[in-house]
């Protein structure tokens, strides 16, 4: 029995000893100040941690003797022999790179950096394709904080109907998040990331948006994509044509353990080129990157931030033959509208597997999977797994916000906040009013006088539209929406209204059904080529009543869903009574004696006598959209589409049935293909090709024709890739067949950015070509030359239009940039 007790005790003691870990911690500095995000590694492994913003580190290891490597870009590496049999504090002082200028055979007058860079460029492809596949683990921490606020911040918020009791609510740390994920890669460019732990300060329901795939900038690629920070890619310092963009200066050679490492300064030849600036470190004889310390500034047209700092540190994973990133760091400063702040995202990478085996279809289309329950890990878990210790500021932020969220999650608190925010203020009269019940995720939205519709047209005269919208959201991401609109024309004394109900019942597939009951004035072109505001201005001041409307009464229903990844269906059934409307008002603010208002009949603008007769139509439309190999993110209860490198194809079939006292009778089939093609430094090419025709047209009314997005004003309020700039609204509507093409090339500053002085405006150039042919028009062409991002959001175009038997048209249009 004693022997049995001894064996049991020995077994428990041995297992306890094996699982026991000790903490090696300390401060990494340069004797004067701490070194943030330094790398600490166990020699010969990818096991390690990073220091935090204050240079503090914490590394947990089993008992034993280790060689611990301390590294920081720009400083000499230091190795410490550590015997760990208890918790230990080890402060480390790193010294600046021990640099010596070695004698190198170079061409006369050429900086010694150039032959090194040539050799590195020569090995670029080798390192780019070195690994067919690998996996790794990533711990990422992100922080953003506001340091300065506009002086009149409270007044600005109150002006728009908001409340701010304490500026501390929007000053200091505004985002703090940690995540753990496993990243999977396979050639040529398949990647998938699985996030299994996520923590967001002050929000235990949200998921971190930290992703290793966003931080893995590969400088062995010719061009480096920066995601949402820039619409154009940036030239790598190792680009095959890098000498056209960069100057290189050897700062010295770092000698010590292993092969020498060359420290090279990279400087863009032109400030506004899409280039990096800073330092790149190249290992001698292998000519691989060992680390980078680069930056981008607002001069190279990055969005959202003023300066972006990029640091990467590589370490040997398989002897000296394979080096991989072990630390990635983005730091940034931002300044906008009186707000000033900074932040960072830091990734510690470990656990590389260079010979993974993936299941079949593992990389199919899902590029990010956030695991169920990943945001439920408690503080004990994070204290055990955190690879970068929290700073005092971060600890306080977690503690305060986690305490606040307990209070803010109570119904009592939510009701008290709603009571304040739901108070009616003077600003609400002009900008709109929102009533919400936070505890039930209910929101009622009412427009203000500025955002609401007070308009004028020659049919209704002065008319007033008023609408409201109610939304109810559920924790499982389902939601319903109820909307209503009331409209009254003071001249023709016509009331109108509509009631809409939509229910999103499957958030993953975006499955939605809805119904609408209406009796209201509508434009003949359901795409609404002219807005009521623009029409009001042109009618009252320029005597051009472009908007043409009729009354539509009835009911419609739709069902929309994703059938399988990238294939969507939309079915719409409508039963409508269509009645003609005539001009009843001739009010003018500026009277041009040489102009007369046109009639409300788009086909016969000189008389209302030929207006269509009242009729009914029962139609069913079936639409299918295909986005091949569509990539997406999966979150609990959600699916987020990220796009596809292939074009989008849409087909539709519409049938009008002559039943139930209806007279419209036709069959219409259409197809559309569109895409946005990235062309590297040359910008982005967008196109949209649409065509179709009536398979049968036994009875057509003008609102059933195929209409196009034309424009006869200086304002372009339509989508640029679906519309014409100078085409009359209804002159060439098709009743048999049609084909239209829209193409635009966005140079993204690649030309105008080279012009002195002009490049400081940060505008971007765009050209476009638009064409139409149909049974009503042999051909119509438009060519536009434009500047976009004028004052960041404005686009101005000069347009030339040409049609047979007509003079060359030309004009300017102004609009809002479609995307940023």
């Amino acid at each position: 029995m004693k022997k049995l007790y001894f064996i049991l005790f020995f077994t428990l003691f041995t297992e306890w000893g094996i699982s026991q870990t000790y903490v090696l911690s300390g401060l990494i500095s340069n004797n004067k100040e701490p070194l943030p995000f330094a790398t600490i590694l166990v020699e010969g492994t990818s096991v390690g941690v990073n220091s935090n913003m204050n240079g503090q580190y914490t590394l947990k290891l089993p008992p034993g003797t280790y060689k611990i490597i301390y590294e920081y870009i720009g400083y000499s590496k230091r190795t410490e022999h550590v015997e760990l049999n208890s918790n230990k504090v080890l402060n480390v002082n790193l010294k600046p790179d021990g640099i010596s200028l070695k004698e190198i055979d170079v061409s006369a007058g050429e900086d010694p950096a150039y032959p090194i860079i040539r050799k590195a460029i020569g090995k670029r492809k080798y390192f780019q394709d070195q690994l067919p596949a690998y996996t790794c683990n990533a711990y990422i921490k992100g922080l953003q904080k506001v340091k300065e606020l506009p002086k009149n911040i409270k007044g600005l918020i109150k002006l728009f109907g908001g409340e701010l009791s304490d500026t501390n609510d929007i000053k200091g740390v505004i985002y703090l998040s940690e995540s753990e994920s496993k990243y999977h890669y396979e050639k040529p460019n398949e990647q998938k990331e699985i996030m299994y732990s996520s923590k967001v300060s002050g929000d235990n329901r949200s998921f971190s948006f930290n992703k290793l795939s966003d931080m893995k900038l590969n400088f062995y690629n010719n061009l480096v994509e920066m995601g949402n920070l820039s619409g154009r890619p940036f030239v790598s310092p190792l680009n095959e044509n890098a000498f056209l963009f960069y100057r290189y200066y050897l700062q010295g050679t770092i000698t010590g353990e292993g092969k020498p490492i060359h420290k090279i300064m990279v400087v863009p030849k032109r400030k506004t080129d899409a280039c990096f600036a800073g330092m790149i470190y190249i290992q001698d004889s292998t000519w691989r990157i060992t680390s980078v310390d680069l930056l981008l500034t607002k001069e190279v047209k990055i969005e959202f931030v003023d300066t972006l700092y990029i640091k990467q540190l590589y370490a040997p994973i398989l002897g000296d033959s394979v080096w991989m990133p072990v630390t990635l760091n983005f730091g940034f400063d931002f300044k906008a509208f009186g707000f000033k702040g900074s932040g960072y995202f830091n990734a510690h990478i470990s656990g590389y597997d260079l010979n993974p085996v993936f299941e079949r279809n593992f990389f199919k289309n899902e590029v990010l999977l956030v695991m169920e329950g990943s945001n439920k890990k408690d503080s004990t878990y994070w204290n055990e797994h955190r690879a970068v210790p929290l700073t005092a500021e971060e600890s306080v932020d977690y503690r305060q916000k986690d305490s606040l969220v307990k209070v803010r999650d109570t119904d009592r608190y939510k009701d008290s906040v709603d009571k304040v925010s739901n108070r009616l203020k003077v600003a609400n009269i002009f900008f709109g009013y929102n009533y919400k019940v936070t505890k039930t995720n209910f929101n009622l939205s009412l427009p203000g006088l500025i955002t609401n519709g007070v308009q004028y047209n020659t049919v209704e005269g002065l008319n007033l539209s008023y609408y409201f919208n109610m939304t109810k959201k559920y924790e499982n991401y389902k939601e319903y929406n109820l909307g209503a609109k009331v409209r009254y024309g003071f001249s023709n004394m016509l009331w109108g209204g509509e009631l809409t109900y939509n229910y999103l019942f499957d958030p993953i597939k975006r499955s939605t059904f809805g119904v609408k009951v209406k009796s209201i004035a509508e434009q003949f072109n359901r795409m609404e080529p002219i807005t009521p505001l623009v029409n009001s201005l042109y009618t009252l001041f320029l005597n051009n009543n472009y908007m043409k409307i009729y009354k539509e009464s009835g009911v419609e229903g739709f069902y929309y869903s994703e059938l399988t990844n990238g294939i969507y269906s939309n079915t719409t059934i409508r039963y409508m009574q269509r009645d003609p409307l005539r001009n009843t008002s001739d009010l003018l603010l500026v009277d041009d004696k040489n102009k007369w208002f046109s009639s409300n009949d788009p086909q016969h603008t000189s008389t209302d006598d030929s207006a269509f007769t009242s009729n009914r139509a029962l139609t069913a439309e079936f639409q299918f959209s295909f986005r091949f190999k569509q990539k997406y993110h999966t979150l609990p209860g959600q699916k987020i589409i990220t796009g596809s490198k292939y074009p989008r194809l849409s087909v539709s079939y519409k049938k009008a049935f002559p039943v139930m006292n209806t007279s419209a009778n036709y069959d219409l089939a259409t197809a559309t293909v569109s895409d946005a093609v990235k062309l590297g430094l040359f910008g982005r090419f967008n196109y949209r090709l649409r065509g179709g025709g009536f398979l049968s047209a036994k009875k057509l009314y003008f609102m059933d024709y195929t209409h196009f997005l034309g424009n006869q004003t200086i304002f372009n309020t339509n989508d640029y890739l679906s519309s014409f700039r100078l085409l009359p609204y209804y002159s060439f509507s098709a009743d048999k067949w049609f084909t239209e093409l829209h193409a635009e090339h966005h140079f993204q500053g690649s030309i105008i950015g080279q012009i002195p002085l002009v490049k400081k405006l940060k505008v971007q150039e765009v050209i476009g070509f638009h064409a139409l042919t149909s049974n009503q028009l042999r051909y119509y062409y438009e060519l536009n030359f434009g500047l976009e991002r004028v004052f960041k959001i404005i686009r101005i175009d000069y347009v030339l239009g040409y049609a047979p038997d007509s003079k060359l048209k030309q004009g300017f249009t102004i609009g809002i940039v479609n995307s940023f």
Side-chain angles (χ1 to χ4, degrees), residues 500-517:
T500 305
Y501 174 81
N502 297 326
Y503 178 48
L504 171 65
F505 62 90
D506 187 341
I508 297 293
K509 295 184 177 181
R510 302 300 300 171
S511 300
T512 308
F513 73 81
V515 293
K516 179 188 289 187
V517 179

Side-chain angles (χ1 to χ4, degrees), residues 202 365 641 815:
N365 290 300
I641 308 304

Side-chain angles (χ1 to χ4, degrees), residues 765-805:
E765 58 275 49
V766 57
I767 63 171
F769 175 76
H770 310 266
L772 172 66
T773 180
S774 73
N775 65 289
Q776 298 282 4
L777 181 68
R778 274 193 300 150
Y779 58 83
Y780 174 79
Y781 306 121
E782 281 185 359
L783 188 63
N784 62 280
F785 307 87
L787 293 176
E788 54 187 352
R789 300 188 182 240
V790 179
F791 305 115
K792 292 196 174 184
I793 63 170
I794 303 297
R795 172 170 163 172
I796 301 172
D797 283 281
Y798 171 68
V799 189
L800 296 171
Y802 181 72
D805 305 322

Side-chain angles (χ1 to χ4, degrees), residues 8-154:
L8 179 62
F9 173 79
F10 180 80
T11 302
L12 293 173
F13 178 82
T14 304
E15 290 181 353
W16 176 84
I18 292 174
S19 62
Q20 173 70 16
T21 60
Y22 293 114
V23 177
L24 176 65
S25 61
L27 176 69
I28 303 177
S29 67
N30 61 4
N31 244 354
K32 295 182 180 179
E33 56 187 16
L35 299 177
F37 308 116
T39 301
I40 303 95
L41 287 174
V42 178
E43 187 181 58
T45 74
S46 60
V47 175
V49 294
N50 293 142
S51 64
N52 64 19
M53 275 290 292
N54 297 331
Q56 300 161 325
Y57 73 96
T58 300
L59 176 61
K60 296 177 181 178
L61 293 169
T65 301
Y66 301 92
K67 285 186 178 180
I68 307 298
I69 299 173
Y70 296 85
E71 289 187 88
Y72 192 80
I73 297 174
Y75 288 77
S76 296
K77 181 169 65 174
R78 179 168 169 177
T79 302
E80 293 285 343
H81 294 263
V82 176
E83 185 175 344
L84 203 61
N85 49 29
S86 63
N87 294 339
K88 187 170 185 177
V89 176
L90 179 59
N91 296 325
V92 175
N93 175 38
L94 297 183
K95 296 180 179 179
D97 288 329
I99 290 178
S100 63
L101 289 174
K102 297 177 64 180
E103 196 172 311
I104 302 175
D105 293 330
V106 297
S107 303
E110 184 178 60
D111 191 276
Y114 281 83
I116 298 171
I117 291 295
R118 286 192 189 96
K119 292 175 181 178
I121 292 174
K123 291 295 292 288
R124 180 186 67 82
K125 192 68 175 174
Y126 169 78
F127 290 118
Q128 187 181 44
D129 300 331
Q130 185 178 19
L131 294 178
Y134 68 87
T135 66
C136 61
N137 299 316
Y139 164 85
I140 304 177
K141 184 198 290 184
L143 179 141
Q144 298 172 37
K145 58 183 179 180
V146 174
K147 298 177 180 179
E148 294 184 25
L149 298 173
K151 294 180 180 179
N152 59 340
I153 181 64
K154 288 188 176 181

Side-chain angles (χ1 to χ4, degrees), residues 534-745:
V534 172
N535 180 73
S536 299
L537 294 174
Y538 267 76
T539 302
L540 292 171
F541 291 95
L542 298 175
N543 301 188
N544 292 316
N545 56 326
Y546 290 125
M547 182 184 287
K548 308 303 176 186
I549 58 179
Y550 68 100
K551 184 180 179 182
E552 189 171 62
S553 307
V555 60
E556 71 176 67
F558 79 91
Y559 174 78
Y560 173 87
S561 184
E562 184 179 31
L563 303 179
T564 187
N565 183 54
I567 301 178
Y568 301 86
S569 71
N570 186 18
T571 300
T572 305
I573 299 176
R574 309 176 77 245
Y575 182 81
M576 293 293 168
Q577 166 84 24
R578 289 96 65 94
D579 298 305
L581 297 173
R582 290 173 168 77
N583 288 342
T584 63
S585 175
D586 58 2
L587 178 65
L588 290 169
L589 293 181
V590 176
D591 188 5
D592 186 341
K593 302 298 184 181
N594 297 317
K595 285 184 179 179
W596 295 86
F597 282 142
S598 60
S599 77
N600 191 48
D601 181 356
Q603 292 180 290
H604 308 90
T605 56
S606 61
T607 177
D608 278 321
D609 295 336
S610 58
F612 69 91
T613 58
S614 295
N615 64 87
R616 293 177 182 174
L618 173 63
T619 60
E621 185 171 9
F622 308 94
Q623 295 178 316
F624 293 92
S625 177
F626 304 87
R627 196 69 192 265
F628 305 104
K629 292 191 176 182
Q630 172 183 268
K631 304 297 183 181
Y632 62 92
H633 297 168
T634 301
L635 284 69
Q638 301 177 76
K639 179 178 179 179
I640 301 173
I641 308 304
T642 60
S644 170
K645 64 180 181 180
Y646 296 99
R648 180 191 299 273
L649 172 66
S650 298
V651 295
S652 70
Y653 170 72
K654 186 176 182 180
K655 170 68 176 177
F657 301 91
V659 297
M660 299 171 59
N661 295 321
T662 63
S663 54
N665 185 2
Y666 60 86
D667 298 82
L668 173 64
T670 62
T672 305
V673 60
S674 61
D675 199 11
V677 183
K678 293 183 178 180
L679 299 175
L681 296 178
F682 297 101
R684 185 182 77 251
F685 176 71
N686 296 351
Y687 70 88
R688 181 176 182 268
L689 175 64
R690 175 174 172 251
F694 289 91
L695 307 180
S696 70
K698 295 179 180 179
K699 186 59 177 179
L700 277 179
Y701 295 91
F702 190 68
M703 65 283 295
D704 300 318
Y705 284 28
T706 297
H707 304 291
F708 309 103
L709 281 173
N711 182 45
Q712 294 175 254
T713 74
I714 195 175
F715 302 106
N716 186 11
T717 58
N718 299 312
D719 177 66
Y720 287 97
L721 207 63
S722 303
S723 62
F724 298 91
R725 314 299 190 269
L726 302 177
L727 183 73
Y729 293 113
Y730 294 107
S731 298
F732 306 110
S733 298
D735 59 352
K736 290 183 180 178
W737 59 269
F738 72 94
T739 301
E740 61 176 316
L741 170 66
H742 303 274
E744 290 195 335
H745 186 79

Side-chain angles (χ1 to χ4, degrees), residues 465-468 483-487 496-499 520:
S465 296
Y466 198 81
Y467 58 91
F468 74 87
K485 180 178 180 180
V486 178
R487 176 169 174 158
E498 63 182 29
L499 184 66
I520 201 167

